[in-house]
Amino acid sequence: MESQTETTVRRQRRIILFPLPFQGHINPMLQLANLLYSKGFSITILHTNFNKPKTSNYPHFTFRFILDNDPQDQRISNLPSHGMGAFNRLFVFNEHGHNELRHELELLLALEEDEQVSCIITDALWHFSQSVADSLNLPRLVLRTSSLFCFLAYASFPVFDDLGYLNLADQTRLDEQVAGFPVLKVKDIIKLGFKSSKDPIGLMLSNMVKQTKVSSGIIWNSFKELEEPELETVCRDIRAPNFLIPFPKHFTASSSSLLDQDRSFFPWLDHQPPNSVLYVSFGSTTEVNEKDFLEIVHGLVDSKKSFLWVVRPGFVKGSSWIEPLPDGFVGEWGRIVKWAPQQEVLAHEAIGAFWTHNGWNSTLESVCEGVAMILSPFMGDQALNARYMSDVSKVGVYLGNVWERQEIAKAIRRVMVDEDIRENARVLKQKANVSLMKGGSSYESLESLVAYISSFSF
Ligand code: UDX
């Protein structure tokens, strides 16, 4: 799967990439960086020290650390490194990062090298970087790490707020259809967890939407056939060119993993029958309380299906790992690990389904490997991704956060045998594969992205 890098190419153009420092954002940005490197560009990655990438896995890139190099800066040094508090960095950097980013870019642009800097590509949530790039006349492209569908919903927040969805007093409206989004119910919007379009998160998302719209181009980790109606809307509403490329089809995210990946279960997995094992993982930031954890445990046992379960340290609130697990629970039924090479697991023929929180990377990795899902979104875009996978793509069983053993066991038994869902998942994978062939939508998108970036003369 890994694309060949062309080490003999004489590189004449450099691209600066600036990911958000969280796993679900680092992975797609470094996949994109690998892809652009394979197309002949030199790569500089700007990054914070917090959650810093394993630079040794990328000897062919240049890394520059910015925004939190000063240990005396108490706006940052006092922030927690784990849990939701860690995300407060986004507010601080977006508010105070302008001068430092500008200074860093000036240095990079002044370097006397054979190569020319073509553009900067930043995570869409670094909305402050648009004015920095503008002030230097440097084209800024945006990487949006979630779906087009999610972007359109975020762009509608002010309308949702006016309609009272974000802070709903009347519980009878939960099943009401969302204005402009027939596939969504008001309860899906509530699940986003945002109380107002004017609170700090609402404002950050609205700035993200605004600055994405005025960027020089938008790169989406997706493909046309997955979100065709949404692409039409985006192209109608936004002048900037759009490029849809399913990164997991080009590179796995293994080399940008912040946690060490356990591979010790592969001999066990290799011995399981095809399509027999449920893979369970809820991403890099989610948490459950001990009671819900035990319901998951019992649901897995009651389903009588084999499983491979990623329980990230810190997933169970108040425990360092799996201390609440009853003795003798796992047995020969399954394996529990702290972190796994997820895409390799999804590609394994023994895997029959994926119980996921629907972070967009996990969702797209599952789609790209043709694996049916159980959909249990926790917060934010996950709720939108899950609804789309269940009601539009029809590749999953919607469970939600129903931490109730019978319901869990029922969902597991269903996803492992529901032939319609499983066939839809296979067809979607096939569409992704076809899109990569010469003349296919993803192939053409990548080619036009490369041509577009090459056309900048700075
Ligand atoms: C976060 C948000 O939760 C998500 O909603 C948003 O779309 C992106 O940022 P995260 O929770 O980390 O993402 O989920 P996800 O987007 O699925 O990314 C997780 C990444 O970690 C995936 O690329 C997955 O392959 C990788 N992973 C996960 C591993 O490498 N090993 C594991 O054991 C589990």
Side-chain angles (χ1 to χ4, degrees):
M1 176 193 301
E2 311 277 311
S3 301
Q4 292 273 313
T5 49
E6 302 152 31
T7 46
T8 53
V9 169
R10 191 168 159 266
R11 295 169 195 277
Q12 292 175 326
R13 286 171 182 275
R14 180 168 289 277
I15 301 175
I16 301 168
L17 297 100
F18 184 20
L20 222 63
F22 295 96
Q23 185 74 79
H25 294 258
I26 294 169
N27 284 356
M29 190 64 92
L30 286 168
Q31 287 170 311
L32 173 63
N34 269 334
L35 202 45
L36 292 170
Y37 182 85
S38 77
K39 292 291 180 183
F41 295 98
S42 295
I43 299 295
T44 295
I45 306 280
L46 302 184
H47 208 284
T48 56
N49 289 281
F50 168 73
N51 273 348
K52 66 177 173 208
K54 284 190 187 141
T55 54
S56 56
N57 286 347
Y58 300 93
H60 47 312
F61 296 169
T62 305
F63 286 84
R64 309 268 298 194
F65 288 88
I66 62 162
L67 296 178
D68 61 355
N69 286 332
D70 177 4
Q72 308 301 327
D73 185 346
Q74 297 200 343
R75 286 174 311 199
I76 306 155
S77 54
N78 289 338
L79 291 174
S81 325
H82 298 285
M84 297 312 286
F87 288 98
N88 287 333
R89 282 172 178 76
L90 304 190
F91 304 127
V92 177
F93 295 147
N94 268 310
E95 197 178 330
H96 301 288
H98 186 283
N99 288 347
E100 195 176 332
L101 178 61
R102 189 186 152 98
H103 178 66
E104 183 65 27
L105 290 177
E106 279 171 341
L107 288 179
L108 289 173
L109 293 172
L111 284 180
E112 286 188 18
E113 287 185 337
D114 294 347
E115 310 152 328
Q116 215 184 16
V117 174
S118 294
C119 64
I120 183 168
I121 303 177
T122 85
D123 194 290
L125 282 165
W126 286 142
H127 56 76
F128 79 102
S129 61
Q130 184 63 47
S131 64
V132 181
D134 286 345
S135 72
L136 295 166
N137 282 327
L138 180 68
R140 171 193 179 233
L141 276 78
V142 159
L143 170 63
R144 179 62 194 145
T145 59
S146 193
S147 61
L148 284 81
F149 180 67
C150 166
F151 182 84
L152 293 173
Y154 283 0
S156 301
F157 265 18
V159 179
F160 294 168
D161 214 358
D162 288 348
L163 290 168
Y165 298 160
L166 297 181
N167 207 357
L168 197 69
D170 178 2
Q171 298 295 304
T172 62
R173 294 181 64 197
L174 286 176
D175 281 315
E176 193 179 305
Q177 199 179 66
V178 170
F181 293 82
V183 75
L184 291 178
K185 301 225 167 89
V186 172
K187 61 187 175 195
D188 297 319
I189 301 299
I190 291 182
K191 201 149 179 48
L192 293 171
F194 311 136
K195 292 279 174 240
S196 158
S197 61
K198 295 183 192 70
D199 70 12
I201 297 183
L203 284 175
M204 185 171 70
L205 293 176
S206 117
N207 278 325
M208 181 277 284
V209 169
K210 192 167 144 200
Q211 301 303 341
T212 296
K213 286 184 175 178
V214 297
S215 71
S216 298
I218 314 171
I219 304 165
W220 305 88
N221 188 14
S222 188
F223 58 101
K224 180 182 164 204
E225 290 72 12
L226 181 61
E227 301 191 87
E228 202 145 8
E230 289 72 26
L231 178 58
E232 278 170 24
T233 309
V234 164
C235 290
R236 201 180 52 230
D237 293 354
I238 304 179
R239 267 213 312 233
N242 291 280
F243 307 95
L244 277 67
I245 304 161
F247 303 147
K249 281 286 174 196
H250 293 274
F251 290 93
T252 72
S254 277
S255 48
S256 53
S257 185
L258 296 170
L259 299 174
D260 290 334
Q261 299 178 324
D262 188 338
R263 306 183 59 87
S264 62
F265 56 83
F266 273 112
W268 169 81
L269 195 60
D270 291 342
H271 281 95
Q272 306 307 309
N275 294 317
S276 66
V277 177
L278 177 75
Y279 172 60
V280 187
S281 171
F282 301 116
S284 66
T285 59
T286 55
E287 294 174 333
V288 290
N289 62 38
E290 191 174 319
K291 181 172 167 291
D292 295 339
F293 174 72
L294 290 172
E295 286 302 308
I296 298 176
V297 167
H298 286 289
L300 286 169
V301 173
D302 293 353
S303 76
K304 300 201 163 34
K305 300 288 177 196
S306 300
F307 60 86
L308 171 63
W309 185 8
V310 173
V311 182
R312 183 176 38 77
F315 175 65
V316 187
K317 283 182 208 159
S319 301
S320 59
W321 190 36
I322 50 173
E323 295 85 327
L325 195 71
D327 283 346
F329 156 71
V330 178
E332 270 318 291
W333 279 111
R335 293 287 182 273
I336 298 182
V337 295
K338 291 181 175 166
W339 200 243
Q342 176 159 299
Q343 209 179 325
E344 233 178 290
V345 169
L346 289 169
H348 197 287
E349 63 167 5
I351 296 299
F354 179 15
W355 185 8
T356 171
H357 72 311
N358 289 112
W360 185 243
N361 295 289
S362 295
T363 304
L364 192 65
E365 287 160 13
S366 204
V367 164
C368 286
E369 298 302 338
V371 177
M373 292 172 250
I374 299 176
L375 313 158
S376 286
F378 283 63
M379 58 176 180
D381 67 323
Q382 299 158 12
L384 304 169
N385 304 336
R387 188 58 70 195
Y388 201 89
M389 289 299 120
S390 134
D391 292 13
V392 180
S393 306
K394 299 189 192 315
V395 293
V397 173
Y398 195 97
L399 178 64
N401 289 151
V402 179
W403 307 123
E404 208 282 306
R405 63 188 75 181
Q406 281 97 356
E407 291 304 313
I408 292 170
K410 204 162 96 188
I412 296 173
R413 285 194 292 264
R414 179 167 163 218
V415 78
M416 298 298 274
V417 296
D418 188 314
E419 258 319 305
D420 289 339
I421 288 177
R422 304 174 71 77
E423 177 59 13
N424 291 341
R426 284 190 288 268
V427 169
L428 207 47
K429 174 184 178 180
Q430 191 55 29
K431 285 184 181 169
N433 288 345
V434 171
S435 83
L436 294 177
M437 292 173 181
K438 195 159 188 219
S441 65
S442 303
Y443 178 94
E444 293 300 328
S445 220
L446 177 56
E447 292 302 303
S448 43
L449 173 64
V450 171
Y452 184 59
I453 294 176
S454 304
S455 74
F456 294 136
S457 59
F458 179 68

